[in-house]
Amino acid sequence: MVGFSLGGPLKIPKIYNGGNKTSFFAHFNLIRGTSPQNILASVPTAAERQGDFSGTTIVSGQGAGTMPVIYQPSATLGPRTPFADNIVPSSMLNQASLGLLSYIPLPNLPGQVQNYHVQLSLPTASQMFMGRVGHQISSKDNLAVMYFYNSSHTDGVTGFPNITSTTTSRMQNVSLTETHNFGPDTVNNFAANFNRARTGITNPFSFNQNI
């Protein structure tokens, strides 16, 4: 993290001299770091990726320890037909699903549940700027203008390191304040504010076709 602050009377050589009536203050902050990720997830086994569920068992609940029966899809009513030996023929594997499997890693732990573990360190970045100019119009009136800007960039991951997400945000604020002193017990403060915020989340599939 690095940053600086600067303030004082506003003087621009040969252009403007605020003397003791106009002042400014500016601050900038820059942060760069990493975010640790410790993820445990369940992914299809090598056999399941090829449509072979003959070794798959129900892990918990009713029927735990038994093999689930996978039926052939049918658009008609009537008895369902199970796949022989719980194996889906390669000709019936959906091409879109096969394409998605390229983003899902193979297990690196034994078992069917929580069989994949990954530890990552992902970058994070943010920057902030704030500037303020104040001016004494008269002994009873003061004017101030302030601008605030903040942006950040953070990479995240789900259970699959190849399917990451990037979150970017940007926030801006401009405010104008005028203070008028009517007397020892009456002060009027007028303020106008403009705020704008934007957040975007993208993934490796963004702006691509036929993934």
Side-chain angles (χ1 to χ4, degrees):
M1 181 177 72
V2 63
F4 72 87
S5 298
L6 182 66
L10 181 60
K11 295 181 180 180
I12 304 175
K14 299 181 180 181
I15 297 178
Y16 182 78
N17 186 353
N20 61 354
K21 290 184 176 295
T22 307
S23 63
F24 78 96
F25 178 81
H27 175 77
F28 177 76
N29 196 46
L30 180 71
I31 298 177
R32 296 292 184 269
T34 56
S35 176
Q37 305 284 332
N38 184 37
I39 299 169
L40 197 63
S42 301
V43 297
T45 64
E48 291 171 343
R49 294 164 72 101
Q50 298 176 6
D52 185 354
F53 294 89
S54 60
T56 302
T57 58
I58 299 174
V59 177
S60 61
Q62 187 176 5
T66 63
M67 182 177 67
V69 179
I70 300 180
Y71 295 92
Q72 297 187 27
S74 175
T76 60
L77 299 177
R80 296 180 297 171
T81 303
F83 285 107
D85 299 322
N86 250 18
I87 299 176
V88 180
S90 59
S91 60
M92 298 186 66
L93 298 179
N94 184 275
Q95 293 302 310
S97 298
L98 294 176
L100 182 61
L101 282 176
S102 63
Y103 293 92
I104 301 176
L106 287 164
N108 57 13
L109 295 176
Q112 300 172 203
V113 179
Q114 295 188 332
N115 54 4
Y116 182 78
H117 181 230
V118 61
Q119 291 180 320
L120 299 171
S121 183
L122 299 176
T124 61
S126 66
Q127 41 276 328
M128 185 271 287
F129 172 78
M130 189 274 287
R132 182 184 184 276
V133 175
H135 179 70
Q136 184 181 14
I137 302 174
S138 66
S139 60
K140 293 186 177 182
D141 290 279
N142 290 278
L143 183 69
V145 178
M146 187 178 75
Y147 173 74
F148 176 82
Y149 173 88
N150 184 55
S151 66
S152 64
H153 177 108
T154 304
D155 287 343
V157 66
T158 60
F160 316 118
N162 293 330
I163 305 181
T164 58
S165 65
T166 299
T167 302
T168 57
S169 65
R170 184 174 68 180
M171 294 178 288
Q172 297 182 83
N173 172 267
V174 178
S175 64
L176 173 67
T177 304
E178 200 279 335
T179 303
H180 179 76
N181 186 359
F182 287 97
D185 56 0
T186 305
V187 175
N188 178 72
N189 186 72
F190 170 82
N193 290 276
F194 173 79
N195 294 280
R196 184 177 183 181
R198 183 185 70 184
T199 299
I201 301 177
T202 58
N203 56 46
F205 313 117
S206 300
F207 313 113
N208 291 320
Q209 296 181 351
N210 301 324
I211 60 172

